[in-house]
Amino acid sequence: MKNYKRIIASSSALVLAAASLASCGSSATPVGRDTKVPTISVMTQQNNITSADQRSPVVQEIENYLGKKMGEKYNKEYDQVKIDFQWTPSSGYMEKVTAAMGANEYPKVMLVTDRSSSVIQNSKVGTFWDLTGKFEEKDSEGNLKYPYLAQSNPIVNRNISVDGKLYGIYRARVIGRQGMIFRKDWTENLYKKGVIDFQVPDTVEDLDKMVRAYKDNDPDGNGKDDTYGMIITSFIDGPVGNLAIWCGSPNEWGYDDEAKMWKPWFMSEGYFKALTLIRDWYADGYVNKNMVSLDADKWDNEFLNGYGGIQIDVADRGRRNAGKMEDPDSVDIIGYVRTDRESDPKIWPTTGHMGYYVIPQPAVPDEADLDFILSVLDQCNDPYVVGLCNYGIEGIHYDLDANGKVVQKKADDGKTNYKAEDYADLNQFSMGVTDGPEYLKTAFSTKAAETVDRVQKNNEQYAVMNPMAPYTSKSFATSGTMMNAIFSEARTNYLVGKIDEAGYKQAIEDWMKMDGEKVMQEYAEAYEADPLNDLDGDGKADIPDEYKFKFRFGNVKSE
Amino acid sequence: MISIKRKTLGDVIMDVVVYVLLTVLAVVMVIPFIYVIAASFADETYMAKTPMFLFPAQTSFNAYITMFSGKVGEQVIRSLIISVCITLVGTLVNLFFTTTMAYGLSRSNLIGKKAILNLVLFTMVFGGGMIPTFLLVRSLGMYNSYASLIIPGAISAYNMLIIRNFFMDLPAGLEEAASIDGCTDIGIFVKIALPLSLPALATFGLFYAVGHWNGYMTALLYLTDSKKYPFQLVLKNLISQTGLAETTAGDQDPPEETLKMAIIVVGTVPILCVYPFLQKHFAAGVMVGAIKG
Amino acid sequence: MAKKDKAQETSLAKKNKWVQIKRDKWMYLLLLPGVLYFIIFKIIPLWGIFISMKDFYAGVPFMKAPWVGLENFTRFFSSYGFVRLLTNTLIISLMNIILYFPLPIILALLLNEIRVQWYKKVLQTLVYVPHFVSMVVIASITLMLLKQPASETSAGGAIYEITKALTGTGETWMESKVAIYFVLLVQVIWKETGWGTIIFLAALAGVDVEQYEAAIVDGATRFQQLIYITIPAIMTTVVTMFILRMGSVLDTGFEQIILMQNDVNRSATETFDTYVYNIGRVDGNYGYSTAVGLFKSVVSLICIQAANRLAKRAGQAGLF
């Protein structure tokens, strides 16, 4: 009998324990503003095998610096402000974010790379701190509380907003980041031979000539047919997107003035023209045959080995590739080619961000802690910290030469205690809302880097904006991945020549049937509903001409 | 007996066909292993140029040296230790839960047995799904803890039913004798049933152990702290880590092909080592129970 | 008379019920952990039925999520994706049942014909081994074998090179809609065929030796013995395994597919399991994803019942 009691007692204790655990959510530990070492946990992306940790001198330096700055701001003695990095592999990153939300176990600061359904919904119900207007707040003396965050770009802030409210601090990406990288020496050789009549391609037609000449006319002059035009990887979206814009496509969404409706870009003339170009190149061997399956991380191998001559991707790829070439001058970078000789330049802008940091209320319930965290994140945009995150420490990871140019140290020269892993992935943490220190940013000793900078700055003015960037669609959230997959499969089939235009058209009709029409409608409604789109003040949303494009597909039959 | 009998021509042909076929099959099964092991010892540049080989002309231990040194080595060794611990503890927990329940259900005239059995059968085919389980595990405070890899999968209903059949086949006389000697049911379970079913324990222990060692999805779901990652997760990350042009400086080349191979070898060999020790038990007719089930 | 006996028995049983329970108290104690486990981890999650009726997302408090009734279900059934998922799932599953399921049986029968015991052991060991390899590793090896070369001068994966040599063109295994199905199938065949023999070998071990002796006396050849004795003897096992397999016709090696899935082949490889994963675990749409999961569970339940009925009608024992 005694035993029964014991069993009942112990089992009921177990049930109670389970129940009590179930009832309590995540216990938020305070930041510790009153201790010597306040700690802020940050969940962010890891791209390298090994990321910087607390042992890294760079991280230590950042933490010391933050401690000093916060001490000044809050009149306290801080040894450090510890950044407790929760490095999370970038493949499958959003799954971990969703798990953290589902488990209600948040870090103090969490990077969100995708505006998934749950991120949107959590923004709406107030899981994340609403930061609208926060960055402009001033203290009692009239100084900006967060001077760096206040400089954040309003366009980008709008792109990451939910229902017109701001919930995060974005990781800045250059808006005009994309470009084209090609072999300058090859083009020059071809120019000298008289195969092409330009040294830098100006229009899509020039580009077409160049791609073909890179294979047909032995641009490297080794007498062998071992070169080809463009390198495309399984990350087909990049080259296609850029080329599409250059050919006159809208960015993601455009307004078809004839059909009076919003349509996705792949229904446009320009997009289809770009696809057809690549299709022709691929058919004739001007693009690598393994285009569909080549890993994006192998993109550079072909270029560096001297087989393929053109890459369309972020322009900074050109800087790195130039650095790895025997002759850095053999690489040239341009921002765009024009549709034809009459048209204005157009470029495919990035959204201006690579995800954004949210501050979850469950982990930071206290408004004073929020203020402290914002101050720390603000200071992380201090040029000095940005410099540390991106280049490491002067004297250890790089030197400045007499002209004030950066000379990055090589890991294997044996003379320094350089370790790439000291600051590996810290650039993933860095927000870069403001520019890094000017002397570092322009200090790269290579010509290519300067070209990249110039190209990217110049690009910005030609950006074709995505009108739907701030909006979401419920149907797209549940069917989007499938729809995208089915569509991109059709697109791939078109590129490799398995289907023709009729097949592509069919794929678009399929896309519309499988919730595509609903998606188009939901986006159109979201655009309609946003008061910011009412340009002339008549209470109705207006559509400026810059959003109007020529479309080829997707007309709903009127019957 | 059969060997004494003279074989007909048809029998001989059949023998030849069977032996040749099976030998070829077995070789096909094993070739990928040989390839991976060979590639892990191959020289990186040699591997990049040669599509297939079963013995590398240029060998190198670089992959293994890289794997166990520096920060990569730190991750690999830590995750190996974690995986070994999870496998050991997890398997013990599995066996405890599975055998106690199986034995409890093996008593033929136990009141309520039928209800419990139906419950088990029902849950085998009908479940709440991934999300409710996740929310439950979280509510139990197991998120980001190793318990989440062990407790929610403590019993495989299928394994439990087979072990139950095994217990049911134990000679009833032994138990009766023991109970006359004053042994309680628990005593009989520990002193008689368990020792007699060691082959079954070994077999199902191995099943569970393989599951823990190879576990990937659960760990991916429940563990947030990358320092807690078991080996399969680290393996996947090392193999698939690709930075898509996001790093501006300090680029690190992704792991070389031979390193990937070496990691695969290290991830597979430990569990293969356990298997020969337990293999003889499979033949011991453990699975007979399954057929009756 | 029998009736009287029975009545007596039941009354006696009723009286004895408590006595019996008391007697078996230790057995109940042994059962306790397992029963608790099943209640906590298998029964409690059934409240997911409620989740499926809410517009509920990861991280949003359950109470704040609005009830939407059956909207998640109707939205799912009316979406074009549903047909696609069903087709993909059935293709993968039926390919598995038709092309993989017989293999372990055949292999077991072949192994059974091996009379040299040590060689049989060696073969068994070799074919069992792939079962112990994790799916992560298998996926990695597969990708490496199918890998296309980075350039014309470097080498691709072994299988890529072989198909290239045979057909002249390098097929893209991972991107082709048809080929990916076979890639998935071959992975299963490689990993599980050997292991799958265990249960059939055990059944074969149970065949009465006297039957063979009698057959030999009657002058039956080995092949005749196989057809008339061995195969009928394992028929029950085969049918039982078949029922189990049919019951899980909508299960499609979830981990395997997730690891092999890429953006290009997704429209062919997205099945109910992976969809539940992608919508639930990645996008965080808990309500919708649970609805899809529940739908799958219900269909599975029906399938296994139906298969069991069929088996019984065919004169086999059935499962339950």
Side-chain angles (χ1 to χ4, degrees):
Chain A
M1 236 19 224
K2 228 177 174 183
N3 290 308
Y4 283 127
K5 274 179 192 154
R6 209 186 297 157
I7 293 160
I8 291 164
S10 60
S11 59
S12 56
L14 201 124
V15 171
L16 272 178
S20 65
L21 275 169
S23 58
C24 76
S26 64
S27 52
T29 49
V31 172
R33 280 170 292 124
D34 300 326
T35 63
K36 285 272 180 200
V37 188
T39 303
I40 297 173
S41 49
V42 176
M43 175 172 166
T44 189
Q45 264 183 328
Q46 173 181 36
N47 268 342
N48 290 287
I49 302 164
T50 52
S51 309
D53 57 20
Q54 293 297 331
R55 285 169 293 179
S56 144
V58 183
V59 173
Q60 286 299 317
E61 176 61 20
I62 292 173
E63 291 176 341
N64 290 336
Y65 185 79
L66 289 175
K68 200 180 85 191
K69 286 285 175 182
M70 290 303 107
E72 285 167 15
K73 183 166 181 178
Y74 291 97
N75 270 325
K76 289 223 173 87
E77 281 282 314
Y78 292 133
D79 293 338
Q80 281 191 328
V81 174
K82 207 175 141 198
I83 307 287
D84 177 15
F85 289 108
Q86 299 180 1
W87 295 114
T88 308
S90 53
S91 60
Y93 180 80
M94 274 316 282
E95 187 183 343
K96 302 305 287 182
V97 170
T98 307
M101 291 192 292
N104 209 17
E105 294 268 353
Y106 295 98
K108 298 269 180 281
V109 178
M110 179 168 77
L111 174 72
V112 170
T113 54
D114 221 334
R115 286 152 61 82
S116 67
S117 303
S118 41
V119 168
I120 301 284
Q121 291 300 323
N122 278 292
S123 305
K124 286 182 177 173
V125 300
T127 309
F128 309 134
W129 278 100
D130 180 0
L131 305 177
T132 323
K134 271 260 178 223
F135 301 165
E136 290 79 35
E137 275 177 14
K138 290 181 178 162
D139 61 16
S140 50
E141 286 156 37
N143 296 322
L144 281 167
K145 272 165 103 176
Y146 317 108
Y148 296 112
L149 297 182
Q151 296 174 43
S152 56
N153 186 335
I155 296 178
V156 183
N157 280 341
R158 182 170 179 234
N159 283 348
I160 64 168
S161 66
V162 176
D163 287 350
K165 284 187 188 151
L166 180 66
Y167 293 95
I169 304 161
Y170 62 82
R171 285 196 306 177
R173 286 296 176 271
V174 187
I175 290 190
R177 193 175 181 207
Q178 304 275 341
M180 189 174 107
I181 301 138
F182 65 94
R183 290 289 295 264
K184 197 179 182 178
D185 51 342
W186 290 10
T187 312
E188 266 165 19
N189 285 344
L190 294 167
Y191 179 69
K192 278 180 205 151
K193 275 200 235 169
V195 180
I196 49 177
D197 55 356
F198 53 85
Q199 279 175 300
V200 173
D202 176 36
T203 61
V204 172
E205 199 191 327
D206 289 351
L207 174 63
D208 183 40
K209 275 187 202 154
M210 192 167 123
V211 166
R212 288 168 189 273
Y214 269 17
K215 178 177 170 65
D216 296 341
N217 302 86
D218 190 24
D220 59 355
N222 68 352
K224 281 187 239 160
D225 179 19
D226 60 352
T227 57
Y228 61 88
M230 191 174 293
I231 313 163
I232 298 180
T233 67
S234 55
F235 176 58
I236 288 175
D237 287 333
V240 165
N242 280 300
L243 202 54
I245 299 282
W246 297 344
C247 291
S249 155
N251 179 3
E252 306 267 350
W253 290 89
Y255 189 73
D256 185 345
D257 216 12
E258 281 164 32
K260 300 281 173 227
M261 62 194 293
W262 288 98
K263 286 180 178 177
W265 57 345
F266 51 76
M267 295 180 182
S268 72
E269 273 308 337
Y271 196 94
F272 187 69
K273 188 178 161 195
L275 290 184
T276 310
L277 262 181
I278 297 179
R279 174 187 160 102
D280 292 345
W281 292 339
Y282 180 81
D284 301 335
Y286 299 113
V287 167
N288 47 317
K289 273 276 165 264
N290 57 358
M291 164 172 92
V292 179
S293 61
L294 181 63
D295 258 8
D297 65 335
K298 304 259 161 60
W299 207 334
D300 295 338
N301 297 3
E302 291 289 270
F303 190 83
L304 297 173
N305 293 337
Y307 298 121
I310 304 170
Q311 295 172 308
I312 300 182
D313 188 37
V314 293
D316 25 314
R317 187 181 282 281
R319 181 185 62 222
R320 275 176 292 142
N321 282 349
K324 287 179 188 166
M325 296 290 277
E326 264 173 51
D327 173 17
D329 283 340
S330 61
V331 178
D332 203 356
I333 301 129
I334 56 173
Y336 53 82
V337 292
R338 293 185 296 158
T339 314
D340 50 50
R341 304 233 181 265
E342 278 74 49
S343 54
D344 292 330
K346 281 174 176 174
I347 65 109
W348 187 31
T350 66
T351 49
H353 67 91
M354 267 296 290
Y356 50 98
Y357 286 99
V358 295
I359 303 169
Q361 284 215 22
V364 187
D366 181 20
E367 191 130 18
D369 273 351
L370 172 70
D371 174 59
F372 186 83
I373 290 172
L374 281 176
S375 299
V376 170
L377 293 179
D378 184 56
Q379 277 306 315
C380 289
N381 287 291
D382 179 308
Y384 180 64
V385 180
V386 176
L388 285 174
C389 288
N390 285 293
Y391 312 105
I393 298 171
E394 185 180 343
I396 299 181
H397 302 102
Y398 65 89
D399 287 322
L400 290 178
D401 68 7
N403 305 323
K405 299 246 180 198
V406 162
V407 183
Q408 272 195 300
K409 295 200 174 184
K410 293 256 158 55
D412 50 3
D413 66 359
K415 287 174 210 145
T416 59
N417 41 355
Y418 173 103
K419 277 194 221 124
E421 63 199 33
D422 281 348
Y423 61 103
D425 287 330
L426 283 178
N427 59 340
Q428 294 296 321
F429 162 66
S430 177
M431 286 147 279
V433 167
T434 59
D435 286 344
E438 203 55 34
Y439 74 94
L440 278 182
K441 215 176 153 248
T442 55
F444 277 100
S445 50
T446 60
K447 231 164 100 185
E450 282 163 24
T451 316
V452 169
D453 251 16
R454 188 174 32 88
V455 161
Q456 292 186 334
K457 276 218 181 74
N458 186 47
N459 269 353
E460 202 161 325
Q461 57 188 310
Y462 303 125
V464 178
M465 297 315 270
N466 172 9
M468 299 301 182
Y471 313 127
T472 51
S473 140
K474 200 172 176 181
S475 297
F476 192 75
T478 47
S479 307
T481 42
M482 284 276 282
M483 289 162 62
N484 278 351
I486 288 177
F487 176 74
S488 65
E489 178 190 299
R491 187 183 66 182
T492 305
N493 284 340
Y494 181 73
L495 288 177
V496 300
K498 278 189 193 155
I499 58 172
D500 57 4
E501 183 177 343
Y504 185 76
K505 192 167 178 244
Q506 183 59 48
I508 286 180
E509 273 160 24
D510 287 349
W511 183 88
M512 287 178 65
K513 254 187 266 159
M514 48 180 305
D515 302 347
E517 275 175 24
K518 276 188 231 162
V519 170
M520 286 161 75
Q521 201 187 338
E522 283 165 6
Y523 271 115
E525 281 164 9
Y527 185 90
E528 203 67 30
D530 189 343
L532 289 175
N533 291 327
D534 179 16
L535 303 173
D536 55 9
D538 63 353
K540 271 192 282 177
D542 302 296
I543 298 157
D545 281 345
E546 58 174 306
Y547 291 156
K548 289 175 184 166
F549 290 87
K550 255 194 101 184
F551 282 85
R552 189 186 184 93
F553 305 102
N555 280 332
V556 186
K557 285 162 210 117
S558 47
E559 335 90 75
Chain B
M1 177 99 207
I2 291 162
S3 57
I4 301 166
K5 173 98 179 128
R6 254 182 54 216
K7 289 180 177 177
T8 67
L9 181 66
D11 289 350
V12 174
I13 292 172
M14 191 160 151
D15 261 352
V16 171
V17 169
V18 165
Y19 275 78
V20 170
L21 203 65
L22 279 177
T23 309
V24 169
L25 257 173
V27 170
V28 168
M29 291 282 184
V30 174
I31 276 185
F33 287 107
I34 299 173
Y35 175 70
V36 168
I37 293 170
S40 75
F41 286 107
D43 182 72
E44 181 71 25
T45 46
Y46 172 79
M47 173 143 176
K49 298 273 177 211
T50 323
M52 55 204 119
F53 52 83
L54 291 177
F55 191 80
Q58 288 158 306
T59 54
S60 150
F61 292 95
N62 278 343
Y64 289 92
I65 295 167
T66 316
M67 185 169 42
F68 288 112
S69 59
K71 275 196 179 175
V72 179
E74 218 172 85
Q75 283 185 53
V76 168
I77 292 166
R78 182 178 55 219
S79 63
L80 277 173
I81 294 171
I82 290 171
S83 275
V84 168
C85 292
I86 291 177
T87 306
L88 287 177
V89 177
T91 307
L92 287 178
V93 170
N94 285 140
L95 286 178
F96 170 77
F97 274 85
T98 310
T99 51
T100 49
M101 189 172 194
Y103 189 72
L105 288 176
S106 69
R107 173 71 55 86
S108 54
N109 53 358
L110 196 76
I111 291 166
K113 184 192 79 171
K114 190 111 202 198
I116 298 173
L117 266 178
N118 282 334
L119 173 94
V120 171
L121 284 173
F122 175 72
T123 58
M124 275 176 88
V125 284
F126 194 85
M130 178 156 51
I131 301 301
T133 310
F134 172 77
L135 292 175
L136 173 76
V137 169
R138 177 212 89 183
S139 316
L140 294 174
M142 293 181 194
Y143 183 71
N144 199 21
S145 89
Y146 292 128
S148 65
L149 308 186
I150 294 170
I151 308 291
I155 300 180
S156 145
Y158 187 67
N159 290 353
M160 194 271 290
L161 291 179
I162 297 174
I163 296 188
R164 169 177 168 259
N165 281 330
F166 197 87
F167 284 137
M168 278 164 45
D169 284 350
L170 290 179
L174 278 174
E175 294 182 19
E176 276 161 27
S179 66
I180 290 164
D181 284 352
C183 255
T184 62
D185 285 327
I186 292 183
I188 297 170
F189 171 63
V190 174
K191 288 186 192 139
I192 294 172
L194 282 185
L196 279 176
S197 39
L198 269 182
L201 294 187
T203 308
F204 288 96
L206 180 66
F207 290 177
Y208 281 127
V210 170
H212 285 298
W213 182 262
N214 289 342
Y216 168 72
M217 277 296 170
T218 340
L220 184 68
L221 179 60
Y222 291 119
L223 298 183
T224 46
D225 187 351
S226 58
K227 287 202 166 61
K228 288 186 180 173
Y229 283 179
F231 188 75
Q232 298 293 333
L233 224 53
V234 169
L235 186 154
K236 175 73 176 22
N237 287 340
L238 287 178
I239 286 179
S240 68
Q241 199 63 285
T242 58
L244 243 187
E246 289 311 327
T247 41
T248 52
D251 294 9
Q252 225 167 354
D253 286 332
E256 320 270 330
E257 295 291 304
T258 54
L259 179 60
K260 294 181 181 180
M261 298 294 184
I263 292 165
I264 288 175
V265 172
V266 170
T268 310
V269 163
I271 202 74
L272 290 186
C273 290
V274 184
Y275 157 68
F277 294 105
L278 300 169
Q279 192 213 353
K280 61 171 189 246
H281 295 306
F282 299 141
V286 168
M287 297 306 284
V288 174
I291 300 159
K292 288 187 182 160
Chain C
M1 186 182 88
K3 221 178 183 180
K4 205 178 170 191
D5 265 3
K6 226 175 195 174
Q8 219 170 351
E9 240 169 60
T10 41
S11 75
L12 205 73
K14 262 181 197 164
K15 230 188 245 170
N16 286 346
K17 212 171 181 180
W18 278 111
V19 182
Q20 225 180 3
I21 289 176
K22 232 179 210 173
R23 187 199 69 197
D24 289 335
K25 61 190 175 197
W26 297 112
M27 290 303 258
Y28 290 110
L29 181 61
L30 280 174
L31 274 171
L32 188 68
V35 171
L36 273 181
Y37 168 80
F38 272 93
I39 290 172
I40 294 175
F41 288 100
K42 300 290 169 183
I43 297 298
I44 291 181
L46 290 177
W47 71 285
I49 294 165
F50 297 115
I51 294 185
S52 70
M53 289 183 229
K54 280 197 155 199
D55 195 18
F56 176 45
Y57 296 85
V60 176
F62 188 71
M63 292 306 166
K64 277 195 191 175
W67 290 100
V68 291
L70 296 177
E71 196 202 293
N72 283 329
F73 293 93
T74 50
R75 217 148 53 85
F76 176 56
F77 293 133
S78 65
S79 74
Y80 181 81
F82 171 71
V83 184
R84 193 78 184 214
L85 290 175
L86 187 66
T87 324
N88 290 347
T89 307
L90 288 181
I91 289 175
I92 294 175
S93 205
L94 291 179
M95 272 179 77
N96 186 290
I97 289 172
I98 294 166
L99 297 173
Y100 160 74
F101 185 79
L103 295 182
I105 304 168
I106 296 167
L107 185 60
L109 290 174
L110 287 176
L111 280 171
N112 195 47
E113 293 301 320
I114 298 267
R115 297 284 187 256
V116 185
Q117 283 307 312
W118 68 265
Y119 192 59
K120 185 176 169 185
K121 275 258 164 63
V122 169
L123 286 175
Q124 268 177 290
T125 311
L126 290 182
V127 297
Y128 288 169
V129 161
H131 173 79
F132 295 91
V133 180
S134 77
M135 213 59 236
V136 178
V137 164
I138 291 181
S140 309
I141 296 179
T142 311
L143 293 178
M144 257 171 298
L145 290 175
L146 301 180
K147 184 187 63 182
Q148 293 197 315
S151 69
E152 301 292 330
T153 50
S154 61
I159 297 196
Y160 171 83
E161 292 292 336
I162 291 170
T163 41
K164 196 179 165 193
L166 290 178
T167 62
T169 56
E171 259 306 305
T172 52
W173 287 90
M174 287 300 293
E175 277 70 30
S176 160
K177 247 175 91 178
V178 181
I180 187 69
Y181 290 136
F182 283 95
V183 170
L184 293 173
L185 180 70
V186 169
Q187 285 182 332
V188 173
I189 289 177
W190 184 70
K191 190 177 196 288
E192 301 299 350
T193 303
W195 194 249
T197 59
I198 288 183
I199 198 149
F200 299 110
L201 283 175
L204 288 168
V207 179
D208 196 350
V209 185
E210 281 175 24
Q211 283 189 30
Y212 289 113
E213 284 164 6
I216 290 166
V217 172
D218 289 348
T221 64
R222 288 267 295 283
F223 190 70
Q224 284 167 327
Q225 292 170 37
L226 177 73
I227 298 294
Y228 295 109
I229 302 174
T230 317
I231 292 183
I234 62 166
M235 228 28 224
T236 324
T237 313
V238 172
V239 170
T240 313
M241 295 312 285
F242 189 73
I243 295 170
L244 278 173
R245 186 64 195 83
M246 285 311 289
S248 53
V249 71
L250 294 187
D251 292 338
T252 46
F254 154 72
E255 190 178 60
Q256 177 198 15
I257 297 178
I258 286 288
L259 286 166
M260 297 302 291
Q261 204 169 51
N262 62 28
D263 282 344
V264 183
N265 66 31
R266 171 164 286 151
S267 63
T269 53
E270 190 85 311
T271 62
F272 288 114
D273 288 332
T274 60
Y275 187 67
V276 168
Y277 171 90
N278 283 323
I279 290 292
R281 256 169 81 168
V282 181
D283 193 51
N285 192 341
Y286 282 180
Y288 193 73
S289 135
T290 306
V292 178
L294 271 178
F295 159 76
K296 210 203 99 173
S297 255
V298 171
V299 176
S300 291
L301 194 61
I302 295 169
C303 280
I304 199 156
Q305 289 287 356
N308 195 40
R309 284 258 164 91
L310 278 178
K312 275 184 179 157
R313 191 173 295 174
Q316 298 292 344
L319 260 186
F320 40 83

